[in-house]
Amino acid sequence: MAEALLEVMIAAALAGGRAIRAVVEAGDTAVRTKADASPVTAADEAADAAIAAVLARDAPGIPIVSEESSGETAPAQGGRFFLVDPLDGTKEFVAGSGEYTVNIALVEGGHAVAGVIHTPALGRICVGARGEGAREADLVDGAPSEWRPIRARPVPASGPVAVASRSHAGPETEACLERLGAATRTSRGSSLKFCLLAAGEADVYPRLSPTMEWDTAAGQAILEAAGGRVERLDGTPLRYGGPWAQGARPWGNPHFIAWGALSGKA
């Protein structure tokens, strides 16, 4: 993938982060409920508009599917398109946690081939693209500082370090972690879990509760670029853009497990 297109995605993610921070500084964190019962704030909407403006200006002709501007009404999307979650981790955002992210992925032929995850409150950005590896940087004056390559690690001899959802772990997840023999466990909100795996800070992330495609596409692209993988429970990779199985929720993911490098399966 051309580096220029990845730079456009980075610029769009940073614009989304600035929009979120502006809403925070204005003190506008009121929550509304969407038709699907999920929460939404002015920050979600401001980030969505800022991201769309950059992508439409600098990557015209590539369709954009976003949680806020398209949502479940968007039809199946083939070919090449951007898949955007302008504010992943709205619950963490509302609670005042810094564990929310801006997610932008490029999907080609159903596969997430490039991704950017920006954490505005923590000043961190992770990037990955197929065949080009993954990297991260801290933000200095709003721009990435020196990029550091990141790589998923083999499972330590002491056992895997598991990362799970802060808001959505349940009995099934607990049973899975026990079956995997997790030596230690940490919890994170939003797509930060994928970043931990990609950076070799954790080894496995089981997700046995609902997610949407815009929640995972950027993280999957980064993790796979770093040497990991994201699989449905039947061992096949997550795919994006439909078509979906009869009766399946449009843009909904099946349960999955994300793995670091050379991780064994249960």
Side-chain angles (χ1 to χ4, degrees):
M1 192 191 75
E3 179 67 21
L5 187 53
L6 195 56
E7 290 296 328
V8 170
M9 295 168 63
I10 292 170
L14 293 175
R18 288 192 297 271
I20 292 170
R21 299 302 293 168
V23 171
V24 171
E25 290 170 8
D28 185 5
T29 57
V31 185
R32 305 190 309 278
T33 301
K34 296 190 290 188
D36 65 358
S38 63
V40 65
T41 69
D44 295 78
E45 295 165 338
D48 187 57
I51 291 165
V54 173
L55 294 179
R57 181 191 68 210
D58 296 338
I62 301 179
I64 303 168
V65 176
S66 167
E67 176 181 12
E68 301 308 331
S69 59
S70 297
E72 294 182 68
T73 62
Q77 177 71 60
R80 191 187 211 197
F81 65 97
F82 291 117
L83 188 53
V84 175
D85 190 340
L87 199 167
D88 183 26
T90 301
K91 290 181 179 179
E92 283 74 20
F93 172 77
V94 172
S97 164
E99 294 182 359
Y100 60 87
T101 58
V102 176
N103 303 340
I104 302 177
L106 179 67
V107 176
E108 292 184 350
H111 300 280
V113 299
V116 177
I117 293 177
H118 169 37
T119 317
L122 304 182
R124 184 180 186 185
I125 189 165
C126 295
V127 176
R130 178 180 290 179
E132 299 179 23
R135 62 188 191 266
E136 67 175 2
D138 299 316
L139 298 185
V140 177
D141 296 328
S145 61
E146 183 176 354
W147 290 101
R148 305 178 294 273
I150 55 175
R151 187 77 183 169
R153 70 182 184 186
V155 175
S158 57
V161 173
V163 61
S165 172
R166 188 178 298 284
S167 302
H168 301 284
E172 284 186 305
T173 299
E174 297 299 331
C176 182
L177 292 174
E178 184 175 349
R179 188 176 75 251
L180 293 170
T184 58
R185 170 186 167 175
T186 187
S187 297
R188 292 289 188 277
S190 70
S191 59
L192 281 173
K193 296 178 283 292
F194 291 102
C195 295
L196 290 181
L197 292 171
E201 299 174 32
D203 305 294
V204 63
Y205 160 37
R207 184 60 185 243
L208 307 179
S209 56
T211 58
M212 303 299 286
E213 293 185 10
W214 41 74
D215 296 323
T216 61
Q220 181 170 358
I222 293 168
L223 179 55
E224 291 181 349
R229 62 188 187 274
V230 182
E231 299 175 342
R232 306 171 189 231
L233 300 187
D234 65 5
T236 60
L238 287 184
R239 290 180 61 87
Y240 297 93
W244 299 282
Q246 181 86 17
R249 183 183 186 186
W251 300 97
N253 284 322
H255 294 171
F256 64 87
I257 302 181
W259 305 87
L262 303 178
S263 298
K265 298 183 186 179

